[in-house]
Amino acid sequence: MKSVWITGPGQTELREVEPPSAGPADVVVRMKACGICGSDALYIHLGGIPPRNGATPLGHEPAGEVVEVGAQVAGVEVGDHVVINPIADAASMIGSGGDQGALSELMVLRQAQAGVHFRVVPRDIPWHVIALNEPMAVAYHGVNRSGAGVGSKAVVFGAGPVGLGAAIGLKSKGAEHVVVVDIVANRLTKALQVGADAVINSAEEDVVARLKELHGEVPGFMGGPAKPATDVYLDAAGAPAVIETALSAVKHGGVLTVVAVHKEPVPIDFQEILISEVDIRMSMGYPTEIFEVTDSIIADWDKYQHIVSDVVPFDQYDRALSLAATPGATDKVIVTFD
């Protein structure tokens, strides 16, 4: 079978490898779609992931069709459509240092358990949409970490895939009003398409003033300037200006959740923010959300589909990787298989 591997710094190749087979406790899945993640570009740049430098299989955002089921496996049948937890087997993480990647024609789920390694999904959801499950779990964890719920007023900075997923997740949790902030017009259009209540172009508008208009105001501490009544600020952009804006605007007891990866240290004046008693929360991965978010995708796949910007066939995997690695060239790239 064909499988994409990192073979050195900045190098990938399509290899012919032995196809997997199922033992009595295993499931074999034929890949139908796999998303390209920003971390894939990092892995390629580094030449692989230790200890597999120079020989690392790639791809960790999989969806596929079950083609073989071991006799001991319950809860799945041949022909079922599934999404997969790429980190369920910590010793062999799919596409992140393990012995197989999802940019392959077939994968085996060892010691497979429904609800742990895979989840069966409806067959009417397009492959390129259901393959969003893994990155949307990252977004959903950010929403969970924020504590947002029914009646919350929230703002999401960054209308990339995770930011848009967070906007959908916030609405699915019952948020009363969700604003998305970005500087790219077509991303803001997508934010409205996925269900955001309003958008702000931070290159053209005063974010804090606009939040006051949209969410109302609350008094500042001890007669200080009024603050937006926004409950939750979610950083999915990774820009220092976002942290500065959020901490200057946050009301007393508000929450700032950081799901973005910041590539440089960000200075914070703790004296300035002391009186706000702001709750700063970090969000990493998806400890429990990998299949929780599946319910949201099943319910609202027509919204999630707007997150996908490019669908590229497997035989053009190199173009997919190049698109995803080029800043500003695209948003979310999904590779699909025949």
Side-chain angles (χ1 to χ4, degrees):
M1 71 171 187
K2 293 180 174 64
S3 179
V4 178
W5 287 59
I6 302 169
T7 55
Q11 300 176 350
T12 62
E13 70 176 34
L14 190 62
R15 289 186 168 183
E16 287 285 347
V17 300
E18 286 295 318
S21 60
D26 305 334
V27 170
V28 176
V29 181
R30 184 176 302 281
M31 288 297 97
K32 289 295 187 177
C34 177
I36 305 298
C37 176
S39 60
D40 292 327
L42 174 62
Y43 299 158
I44 295 169
H45 173 75
L46 296 174
I49 307 169
R52 298 183 182 274
N53 299 72
T56 303
L58 197 60
H60 62 268
E61 299 183 1
E65 181 179 350
V66 174
V67 294
E68 191 174 351
V69 179
Q72 298 174 7
V73 183
V76 65
E77 298 178 352
V78 170
D80 281 345
H81 293 192
V82 294
V83 288
I84 295 166
N85 183 355
I87 63 172
D89 182 354
S92 184
M93 292 192 294
I94 294 168
S96 296
D99 64 353
Q100 58 182 341
L103 282 173
S104 303
E105 292 179 311
L106 297 167
M107 283 198 319
V108 60
L109 308 181
R110 304 181 183 97
Q111 304 295 312
Q113 299 178 54
V116 176
H117 298 87
F118 65 88
R119 176 171 168 179
V120 176
V121 296
R123 299 187 185 191
D124 60 335
I125 301 178
W127 287 115
H128 68 279
V129 178
I130 203 64
L132 291 169
N133 195 86
E134 195 270 355
M136 293 304 97
V138 174
Y140 213 70
H141 182 51
V143 171
N144 283 344
R145 289 284 294 148
S146 77
V150 176
S152 296
K153 297 176 181 178
V155 56
V156 178
F157 290 86
V162 171
L164 294 175
I168 300 173
L170 286 162
K171 294 300 291 186
S172 72
K173 291 281 187 178
E176 176 185 327
H177 196 278
V178 176
V179 181
V180 175
V181 180
D182 206 297
I183 61 173
V184 181
N186 72 301
R187 285 187 165 191
L188 294 174
T189 298
K190 283 190 175 186
L192 293 172
Q193 290 174 328
V194 303
D197 297 291
V199 296
I200 299 173
N201 188 325
S202 56
E204 301 174 355
E205 301 178 83
D206 183 314
V207 174
V208 178
R210 186 75 176 116
L211 284 176
K212 288 179 179 178
E213 293 176 3
L214 292 166
H215 288 169
E217 299 181 4
V218 295
F221 182 75
M222 294 187 67
K227 303 286 187 178
T230 308
D231 303 298
V232 168
Y233 294 74
L234 194 147
D235 172 20
V242 170
I243 303 300
E244 181 181 352
T245 298
L247 292 180
S248 68
V250 68
K251 69 179 184 179
H252 184 268
V255 176
L256 166 61
T257 300
V258 181
V259 68
V261 175
H262 282 261
K263 297 180 180 179
E264 300 290 340
V266 179
I268 296 177
D269 186 339
F270 283 100
Q271 181 176 352
E272 180 181 355
I273 67 173
L274 181 63
I275 59 174
S276 70
E277 293 192 321
V278 59
D279 193 341
I280 301 176
R281 304 176 184 178
M282 311 307 292
S283 177
M284 176 67 179
Y286 37 88
T288 64
E289 288 83 3
I290 187 65
F291 298 134
E292 288 179 15
V293 76
T294 313
D295 291 326
S296 181
I297 296 175
I298 291 170
D300 291 312
W301 74 261
D302 57 325
K303 294 179 181 178
Y304 281 98
Q305 68 178 330
H306 296 295
I307 295 174
V308 179
S309 57
D310 297 84
V311 179
V312 179
F314 181 53
D315 61 3
Q316 298 178 33
Y317 80 91
D318 50 348
R319 182 169 73 88
L321 293 173
S322 178
L323 271 173
T326 304
T330 190
D331 289 315
K332 188 62 184 178
V333 180
I334 305 290
V335 171
T336 55
F337 299 71
D338 291 335

